Each structure stands twice: as structure tokens, then as C-alpha cells.
Amino acid sequence: MKWIKVSNYKDLSEEAAKIMKERINNKPNLTIGLATGSTPEGLYKELIKAYKQGELSFSEVTSYNLDEYIGLDINSPQSYYQFMFQKLFNNVDIQKEKIHIPNGNTKDLQVECVQYEELIKNSGGIDIQVLGIGNNGHIAFNEPGTSFDAKTHVVELDESTIAANARFFNNKDEVPVQAITMGIGTIMKSKEILLLISGKGKQEAIEKLKSGVVTEDFPASILHKHPNVTVIITNN
Ligand code: PGA
């Protein structure tokens, strides 16, 4: 695990964008894994800037998002579908049919999970996966206690995750209690992982990750077992 410590959020976003740009320019038909949340927003702004300046094209890129709420309409401003289109996809030249976000509004969620996993596999796997980390150590919506082998599956969100995400809703009661998420097993199959950590609220998670103890009680700890992880971190 390679750690890159930077002094502020802007530097974190620029450093992450530099890596993504380099990977996409090296392999224009890259398969990328994308995350939502506050942390990667700056990265997406930098990627849009690079695209607009003609330094980068997403025209052959395939994307897979980590997760989506269950039961939230995709037109709802809090859906991860809306987040991704507003913060990135609407502003670059990615082809709509190459964008994948789990469908949390389908009747058969189990079929959706199996199909999502198959799609990733049939794309040849994810070349580089962007990740954030939750205060409780979750990666995507894999909450503490999730099996390290899990594939794409339905999860019940932790109280702490619901509380953390309530800032995006009118109140806590509006936050969905379930989501579809890539599993830790799915994430670990990515060829490269870019973990972005920003913010004072993540101190406990940072300490636990740095300790190197690998346990299902702290999902991000599995990343110590992955051969190609870069952590970009700022305390600010
Ligand atoms: P954040 O969320 O980027 O909004 O802090 C990260 C996460 O919960 O995985």
C-alpha cells in the first residue's frame, strides 16, 4: 500500500486526477470503478477540466459505480445515479451505454446483483477502482462484519452510515436503509485501487487502517492484501 500525503483537498483531487488521466491516456478503453460521496467530487471536477482542455477523452471508457440506494428513484437528487451524471458524466464524452450503476429500483434485486457482477467480469474486470472510506471503515456500502469474499449484494445500512449520509437529505428518516453494493470480493479483483481520504472526521478510520490489522470488523483493512493500492490522504 503506497501512501501519498498531501496538504489539502485541492492537492488530493489533483493528485488523484493525475493518476486517472495517466491511466486513461495509456489505455483509452480503460474500465474504471467510480465512487460517490464528498471525497471524489474534487477529482471529478479535475477530470472535467482536463477533458475540456483536451487532455483526456472518456469516449472509450467503461465505468462501474460501486453502489446505489434501494428504493430511491433515479431522478431523486440524492440518488447516486444523479450524483454521477451531474458531477461527471454530463460534463465529459463518456458513452451512456458504457456507464453502469446498480439499479436499486428493480423488482428482483438478487438478479440485479448477479447481473452486475457478470457485467464487470465480462468487461474484463475493473482496471482502476476509486474508493472513499466511511468513518466506520466501510468501503462502498460494505459495512463492518461483511465477508471479505462478498460479491455484489444487498446491504442493510449501518446506523452510523445513515447518520453520516443524512446531510444529503431533509432528515435522517428519508435516508434509505438498504443499498446494492459491489462486494469486497468484487472490489479486491480490481487491478488497481485508488483510495481517497479527506477530512478530520476520518481520523479513527485512518489510525485503524494504518495499524495494518486485517479484520472483517474494519472492511477497508482488506486493502492491505491487495497488490496495487495507492492511498491519497489529507487531514484537511
Ligand atoms: P465521503 O464518504 O466521501 O462523503 O466522506 C465516503 C464513504 O462513506 O465511503
Side-chain angles (χ1 to χ4, degrees), residues 36-40 132-135 138-141 161 165 167-168 196 198 202:
T36 51
S38 303
T39 314
I133 185 171
N135 297 330
H138 72 208
I139 46 176
F141 272 137
T161 301
N165 289 3
R167 68 189 194 278
F168 299 113
L196 309 181
S198 164
K202 302 283 168 74

Side-chain angles (χ1 to χ4, degrees), residues 81-141:
Y81 182 97
Q82 284 299 321
F83 177 102
M84 287 311 303
F85 276 81
Q86 280 167 24
K87 310 279 181 194
L88 182 66
F89 299 147
N90 284 341
N91 306 293
V92 296
D93 61 345
I94 192 163
Q95 296 181 49
K96 198 155 185 237
E97 58 275 19
K98 294 196 169 169
I99 294 170
H100 305 87
I101 301 174
N103 180 359
N105 273 311
T106 177
K107 276 211 187 90
D108 199 332
L109 294 163
Q110 296 313 325
V111 169
E112 174 67 14
C113 292
V114 171
Q115 284 178 347
Y116 202 70
E117 197 72 25
E118 279 295 302
L119 278 171
I120 296 174
K121 201 167 131 199
N122 294 340
S123 292
I126 291 167
D127 290 306
I128 182 163
Q129 174 68 57
V130 177
L131 286 183
I133 185 171
N135 297 330
N136 62 3
H138 72 208
I139 46 176
F141 272 137

